[in-house]
Amino acid sequence: MGYVLVCNPKTDHEAIYPLNPGRNTIGRAPTNQIVIKHNSLSRRHAEILMERDRTHPDQFRFLLRDLKSLNGTFVNTVKIKQREITLDDGITLGMVALKLFDTDSEFADENEDPTDAPLPIVHHYSPKQTQVVLEDFIDKNQRSGSALRLKEKDKNQRAVDKLKILLEVSKQLASSADPDQLLDKILELLLEIMNVDRAALLLVDERTQKLEQKAVKARSGLSVRYQFYSTKITNYVRRHGDAVLTDDAAEDHRFEGSHSILIQAIRASMCAPLQPREEVIGVLYVDNLTCSNAYSGEDLEFLTALANQAAIAIETTRLANKMRENAIWRDKLERFFPTTISRKLREGGDLGIIETEVTALFADITDFTKMSSTMEPRAVIEMLNDYFNVMVEEIIFTYEGTLEKYIGDALLAIWGAPYSRPDDTDRAVQVAIEMQHAVQRLNQDWQDQDRQPIAIHIGLNSGPVAAGNIGSRRLIQYAAIGDTTNVTSRICDVAKAGEIILAASTVQRLNYKDYPLIELPPTLVKGKQDPLQLYRLEWRELPSLHEVTSHSSRPKL
């Protein structure tokens, strides 16, 4: 029995996510078990606990829990914090519709198209029929004629068998994700398929650009604790990109003076390049210590083909590991830098100082000092973490703002750097509206937890700044410096609890001109000789864009 969560069921945008026993987290962040990229979802929005029913061990029960999301979790249109759900329930996370299905019955039935006519199938063919067992083609006791241990003697059938073996080799190598295990697997298959004494796999070091031994294997009784291959042979193959076969390496003039050949008395060897594309990334070397005519042209051709398969597998594994490392690096980057800054760094962009225009937003918790004096330090930190998670992760980053800094219980965010957009000012104003609505929702949730309610006051200002990384070479911070950000803080001081105050410079830059604004008397702020023209935004007259669809004429940003 299996269960899945279906996103947007019975639509063109339907997506299916399997549920596993235990905890299944849902959200926008890539660290969730179920990742749904939708702006109405929080980075960690909700979770579904899938547990066996104690009274009916053959059945499962499902517990849906909201993870303090911004836009809420609903079951049958009722907002919930935690609730047991069934297959009949309709689930909504933010604006995303979901439904739980049993893959063994209901899901299969509902997804079956009753209008489908029977298919005119003439013959069935399963890919499993092409699976190859290497032992069926290999004679391990074969010692003459060729290093290839093929049972078949017919030339045409040998060609078919070699192709089947190479296809199976590629399948087995594709299943090895660990680089070290992959290299060992390559040599293990090589010794199984070919009659060789020793084998070595060398790769080009990215730093030194020299060949370095990465894996070695030998038939039973032979030691490989020392360098047994000729560096002249391996370097020759790496340099020219051609596979070579030597009947008696000591007599081959191309490798004159090679000390290892003379000492080891290598009678025959083959070496093929590992070349997934134009660049040689390494070589595959085998040798024989007893017979000078051990290898044939057929053997060299097969070794080259096997080396090609190995090179592709190595390159694929490297790429997969690099992508995994990049994902880890990106996750760490997003923990320490605002989303816009980490994006700029990933793109290789220059974060040097630039002069640009921004709209700055300064938000502060009203009477925070007085409130925090009545709370335990741990409770203060927990409250601030919950507050900032919503304000920054769920709102500022959603509207692609750059978090400039935290200042105790306050925050400063900017729009216009490092990226500039035509609607930066509208985004900043909309964020201020969303933040005030979010505080109302937070207070409702905190009331159930016996937490103190809060109020915030917000100021916005627009103008020129110098923006870029500021600090020492080892510790940097992206910042916007200038009178614009300083004045934003002073405008915030003018705002009272629950208010949003805009400077005239911000109002002038708005694309949307119908915000309900109240013009205030010219106001003096600290650090400015002349009074500022300020406006109070009556945000309570505007619903949150997360909570409306077609009822608002404001542009969806």
Side-chain angles (χ1 to χ4, degrees):
M1 180 178 291
Y3 292 91
V4 295
L5 194 64
V6 180
C7 176
N8 300 315
K10 298 182 180 180
T11 71
D12 293 338
H13 303 290
E14 181 178 272
I16 301 171
Y17 304 94
L19 288 175
N20 298 313
R23 189 167 179 242
N24 299 265
T25 59
I26 310 167
R28 289 187 293 107
T31 51
N32 291 290
Q33 279 79 28
I34 298 175
V35 180
I36 302 177
K37 297 290 187 180
H38 195 281
N39 283 341
S40 69
L41 264 66
S42 300
R43 288 176 63 81
R44 291 179 72 255
H45 195 105
E47 66 180 10
I48 294 179
L49 297 176
M50 179 176 172
E51 300 175 337
R52 289 198 178 274
D53 193 317
R54 293 181 180 178
T55 57
H56 302 88
D58 59 330
Q59 299 178 7
F60 284 93
R61 58 190 294 267
F62 302 89
L63 183 67
L64 175 63
R65 180 181 298 155
D66 184 78
L67 299 178
K68 300 179 181 178
S69 66
L70 175 64
N71 293 313
T73 299
F74 302 82
V75 176
N76 301 326
T77 71
V78 177
K79 188 175 183 179
I80 61 101
K81 290 185 178 179
Q82 181 173 300
R83 175 170 165 176
E84 188 167 341
I85 56 174
T86 67
L87 299 179
D88 297 324
D89 290 325
I91 304 165
T92 305
L93 305 185
M95 297 180 183
V96 178
L98 299 149
K99 202 169 191 309
L100 186 66
F101 287 95
D102 177 357
T103 57
D104 292 345
S105 56
E106 184 181 358
F107 181 68
D109 294 340
E110 292 201 11
N111 281 272
E112 184 178 348
D113 189 348
T115 64
D116 282 348
L119 295 175
I121 297 174
V122 177
H123 180 67
H124 281 278
Y125 180 78
S126 172
K128 294 181 180 179
Q129 296 174 356
T130 64
Q131 291 181 346
V132 170
V133 179
L134 294 179
E135 287 78 2
D136 293 342
F137 299 89
I138 293 172
D139 179 5
K140 293 187 177 181
N141 297 319
Q142 189 270 112
R143 295 288 179 182
S144 61
S146 171
L148 273 172
R149 293 172 166 172
L150 293 180
K151 293 179 179 179
E152 185 60 51
K153 303 301 181 185
D154 179 75
K155 181 179 179 180
N156 293 330
Q157 189 57 47
R158 283 174 71 87
V160 173
D161 290 352
K162 283 188 288 185
L163 179 59
K164 290 181 178 180
I165 290 173
L166 287 172
L167 288 173
E168 179 60 23
V169 166
S170 69
K171 288 181 183 179
Q172 293 196 28
L173 295 184
S175 65
S176 299
D178 180 82
D180 294 333
Q181 291 180 358
L182 172 63
L183 302 185
D184 287 338
K185 184 68 175 179
I186 292 169
L187 297 188
E188 179 185 315
L189 289 168
L190 173 59
L191 265 67
E192 182 180 359
I193 298 167
M194 303 187 76
N195 182 21
V196 300
D197 288 340
R198 301 175 300 194
L201 194 152
L202 293 80
L203 295 178
V204 177
D205 183 87
E206 292 183 358
R207 184 178 59 85
T208 64
Q209 289 299 303
K210 293 182 179 180
L211 285 171
E212 290 191 358
Q213 176 182 301
K214 295 297 182 181
V216 293
K217 277 192 181 299
R219 63 177 171 82
S220 179
L222 289 178
S223 173
V224 287
R225 294 181 180 177
Y226 52 88
Q227 180 181 316
F228 57 83
Y229 53 84
S230 165
T231 55
K232 283 207 170 186
I233 292 177
T234 56
N235 286 334
Y236 178 91
V237 172
R238 184 261 174 113
R239 186 167 59 253
H240 293 276
D242 297 327
V244 298
L245 182 158
T246 65
D247 284 337
D248 193 333
E251 299 297 327
D252 195 317
H253 67 89
R254 291 175 296 178
F255 313 119
E256 287 180 1
S258 181
H259 191 60
S260 60
I261 292 175
L262 298 176
I263 291 178
Q264 301 303 327
I266 298 170
R267 302 298 296 171
S269 69
M270 292 188 295
C271 188
L274 297 168
Q275 191 171 6
R277 291 188 294 274
E278 294 182 3
E279 183 181 0
V280 175
I281 64 171
V283 299
L284 188 58
Y285 171 92
V286 300
D287 65 18
N288 184 286
L289 301 177
T290 57
C291 180
S292 60
N293 295 314
Y295 306 133
S296 66
E298 180 190 31
D299 299 331
L300 183 64
E301 182 182 340
F302 184 85
L303 182 69
T304 302
L306 192 147
N308 287 336
Q309 297 290 342
I312 293 170
I314 292 170
E315 192 77 352
T316 301
T317 302
R318 282 179 170 178
L319 180 60
N321 288 336
K322 188 174 182 179
M323 292 174 65
R324 195 175 299 113
E325 290 171 1
N326 285 342
I328 295 172
W329 179 79
R330 185 165 57 250
D331 183 64
K332 289 181 178 179
L333 203 61
E334 290 177 353
R335 289 174 181 266
F336 291 98
F337 290 96
T339 305
T340 51
I341 305 303
S342 61
R343 174 185 163 193
K344 194 76 172 179
L345 290 171
R346 291 198 305 272
E347 293 173 352
D350 182 11
L351 289 177
I353 305 298
I354 60 169
E355 292 186 359
T356 186
E357 290 210 351
V358 301
T359 293
L361 178 153
F362 200 99
D364 201 359
I365 299 177
T366 306
D367 293 330
F368 178 76
T369 302
K370 180 180 177 181
M371 181 183 68
S372 61
S373 66
T374 64
M375 301 169 61
E376 293 291 331
R378 183 182 184 88
V380 174
I381 293 175
E382 289 176 350
M383 184 270 287
L384 285 177
N385 282 341
D386 289 345
Y387 166 75
F388 283 132
N389 181 66
V390 172
M391 300 298 121
V392 177
E393 296 280 342
E394 311 298 349
I395 303 178
I396 292 175
F397 286 172
T398 297
Y399 287 88
E400 299 184 271
T402 299
L403 177 68
E404 211 259 26
K405 67 181 71 172
Y406 295 112
I407 311 169
D409 61 302
L411 64 83
L412 174 63
I414 59 173
W415 281 258
Y419 296 96
S420 178
R421 306 173 187 82
D423 61 348
D424 278 330
T425 302
D426 294 82
R427 288 172 183 262
V429 172
Q430 187 59 45
V431 163
I433 296 169
E434 298 293 346
M435 289 174 72
Q436 292 289 11
H437 281 292
V439 167
Q440 291 184 327
R441 292 192 293 271
L442 276 174
N443 285 335
Q444 291 174 359
D445 293 340
W446 288 353
Q447 186 177 4
D448 298 336
Q449 303 171 24
D450 294 325
R451 286 186 177 183
Q452 295 187 47
I454 65 170
I456 63 173
H457 49 285
I458 302 173
L460 292 101
N461 187 31
S462 304
V465 297
N469 274 333
I470 300 173
S472 67
R473 282 182 292 181
R474 296 188 63 183
L475 184 61
I476 60 175
Q477 178 180 338
Y478 193 83
I481 304 298
D483 188 58
T484 298
T485 52
N486 294 335
V487 172
T488 307
S489 171
R490 303 308 179 193
I491 295 174
C492 181
D493 291 339
V494 173
K496 298 176 183 177
E499 287 188 345
I500 301 172
I501 303 296
L502 279 61
S505 59
T506 299
V507 174
Q508 292 164 5
R509 288 171 170 79
L510 286 170
N511 294 321
Y512 180 70
K513 302 298 184 182
D514 294 331
Y515 284 109
L517 298 171
I518 303 296
E519 184 176 343
L520 303 180
T523 307
L524 280 170
V525 299
K526 186 177 178 180
K528 302 296 288 185
Q529 291 183 349
D530 298 325
L532 300 178
Q533 182 58 63
L534 303 177
Y535 297 82
R536 184 174 66 245
L537 174 61
E538 299 299 297
W539 62 269
R540 290 178 179 84
E541 298 180 17
L542 302 168
S544 166
L545 282 183
H546 284 296
E547 298 172 348
V548 298
T549 52
S550 60
H551 300 297
S552 174
S553 60
R554 282 179 293 145
K556 182 72 174 178
L557 302 175

